[in-house]
Amino acid sequence: MLSRRPDERWEGAARRGKLRAFMWNWVHQLAEWGRTDVPFAVVTVTECKGSTPAAPGAKLLVRADGTFHGTIGGGHLEQLVLQDARGCLDKGEARTFRYPLGAKLGQCCGGVVDVFVEPVNHGPQLYLFGAGHVGQALCRILEGTPFRVHLVDERAEWVQSPQVPASVARHEEPWDEFATNAPWDDRRTYVAVMTHRHDVDQAIIDFVIQKPARYIGLIGSDTKWARFRQRLEAKGLPARQVGRVQCPMGLPIGGKSPQEVAVSIAAGLLQLHHGLSPEPGPQPLPAPLLSSEG
């Protein structure tokens, strides 16, 4: 049996030690990133054949902006894996990849590396402004669906209500503090505005139509929206931004109780998320009002 030189034995032990340390770092980083709402992908080396720079179980955590933690051996292989992981994040899908380490990758190892890429935190996020009766009912109905709900209301007795499921992220703070610090995404972010004051609704809509979001909904009647729209256009906001707002919200199911209104809104959100309804576009102009006061 061939024996290795002492320095080779030490190098092997060091590599094993680094692998153990890396695995602990990976667990810590996964927990840290998992507490945020920023999407990332977990890349796991599932199988290696022949000579490869990676080992089964090696992991990378990758964000869409290119930030990553860990390594699967570096070099062109790692760069290609990072690129493919960001592609999975972009599509929100998990998949496997196989990388033959030949001339095409600029490597001469001759082995093959298989990896599995799984997106995390890539589901839809609903920013729900207003923890009133309809808001709380909507939180309950969306429990167990792909939506991660952020309930925003500075009224402690409403946002901290026991009627709100534990899975809902509660933000007991002014709407503008939350909206300024929240991440916005044109595919993952959904907005529902239903506070207890029309002036607050108006201010929120004014802010969010200038942010990337897949859906922006406002609870209320055609008349309410006509007044809001006049005020927004009077400020010089582009029609394409103003027209993003869906008001009234939800599907026309006929009911008016808080629970029924919430069912209607939830159905519309889920339909859009699952690709069963057209992407929201500019809304038709409402009938002109005789007065713009109110």
Side-chain angles (χ1 to χ4, degrees), residues 1 22 29 45 64 84-85 88 133 137 170 173 178 181 186-188 192 196 221 233 239 241 248 262-263:
M1 181 178 66
F22 167 71
Q29 193 67 36
V45 175
D84 288 338
C88 286
H133 298 296
R170 308 175 195 222
E173 59 185 314
F178 171 83
N181 297 313
D186 60 5
R187 286 164 300 179
R188 300 178 61 237
H196 61 298
S221 64
E233 291 174 344
Q241 289 185 346
V263 167

Side-chain angles (χ1 to χ4, degrees), residues 14 79 154 190 197-198:
Q79 292 304 310
E154 56 186 325
Y190 294 67
R197 290 170 46 183
H198 281 203

Side-chain angles (χ1 to χ4, degrees), residues 209 229-239 241-242:
I209 62 175
R229 184 165 193 150
Q230 282 187 353
R231 294 168 185 157
L232 293 169
E233 291 174 344
K235 292 182 178 180
L237 291 169
Q241 289 185 346
V242 177

Side-chain angles (χ1 to χ4, degrees), residues 38-278:
V38 179
F40 64 97
V42 179
V43 179
T44 305
V45 175
T46 56
E47 187 174 2
C48 298
K49 297 178 181 178
S51 178
T52 68
K59 293 185 184 290
L60 277 172
L61 306 184
V62 188
R63 282 179 169 165
D65 64 1
T67 303
F68 70 95
H69 177 84
T71 181
I72 58 169
H76 194 190
L77 168 65
E78 188 165 290
Q79 292 304 310
L80 188 58
V81 169
L82 289 171
Q83 177 181 320
D84 288 338
R86 291 195 297 271
C88 286
L89 272 178
D90 187 57
K91 297 177 181 177
E93 64 181 21
R95 61 165 294 185
T96 58
F97 293 90
R98 169 163 289 187
Y99 302 96
L101 304 182
K104 188 175 181 180
L105 284 184
Q107 297 189 230
C108 56
C109 300
V112 176
V113 176
D114 291 340
V115 305
F116 177 66
V117 181
E118 181 178 14
V120 179
N121 285 353
H122 68 288
Q125 307 275 322
L126 175 63
Y127 297 165
L128 176 51
F129 295 94
H133 298 296
V134 175
Q136 291 184 13
L138 183 57
C139 288
R140 294 192 295 271
I141 292 169
L142 289 175
E143 175 84 347
T145 73
F147 278 89
R148 165 73 162 160
V149 180
H150 292 263
L151 183 61
V152 186
D153 200 312
E154 56 186 325
R155 301 172 299 166
E157 67 275 20
W158 288 92
V159 75
Q160 301 298 342
S161 168
Q163 299 299 318
V164 176
S167 62
V168 171
R170 308 175 195 222
H171 302 270
E172 186 186 327
E173 59 185 314
W175 73 265
D176 51 341
E177 289 185 13
F178 171 83
T180 300
N181 297 313
W184 296 85
D185 186 277
D186 60 5
R187 286 164 300 179
R188 300 178 61 237
T189 304
Y190 294 67
V191 178
V193 181
M194 52 184 74
T195 76
H196 61 298
R197 290 170 46 183
H198 281 203
D199 60 331
V200 176
D201 286 352
Q202 177 89 59
I204 296 172
I205 289 295
D206 192 339
F207 181 91
V208 302
I209 62 175
Q210 302 177 66
K211 292 290 187 179
R214 188 175 184 186
Y215 175 89
I216 299 172
L218 171 67
I219 199 168
S221 64
D222 289 328
T223 302
K224 175 182 178 179
W225 174 233
R227 296 186 188 279
F228 275 35
R229 184 165 193 150
Q230 282 187 353
R231 294 168 185 157
L232 293 169
E233 291 174 344
K235 292 182 178 180
L237 291 169
R240 62 178 178 79
Q241 289 185 346
V242 177
R244 297 171 62 200
V245 179
Q246 307 290 306
C247 182
M249 298 174 67
L251 302 183
I253 64 173
K256 292 186 177 181
S257 70
Q259 194 74 10
E260 290 171 311
V261 173
V263 167
S264 166
I265 295 170
L269 293 172
L270 288 165
Q271 230 186 32
L272 178 59
H273 169 66
H274 290 298
L276 298 179
S277 64

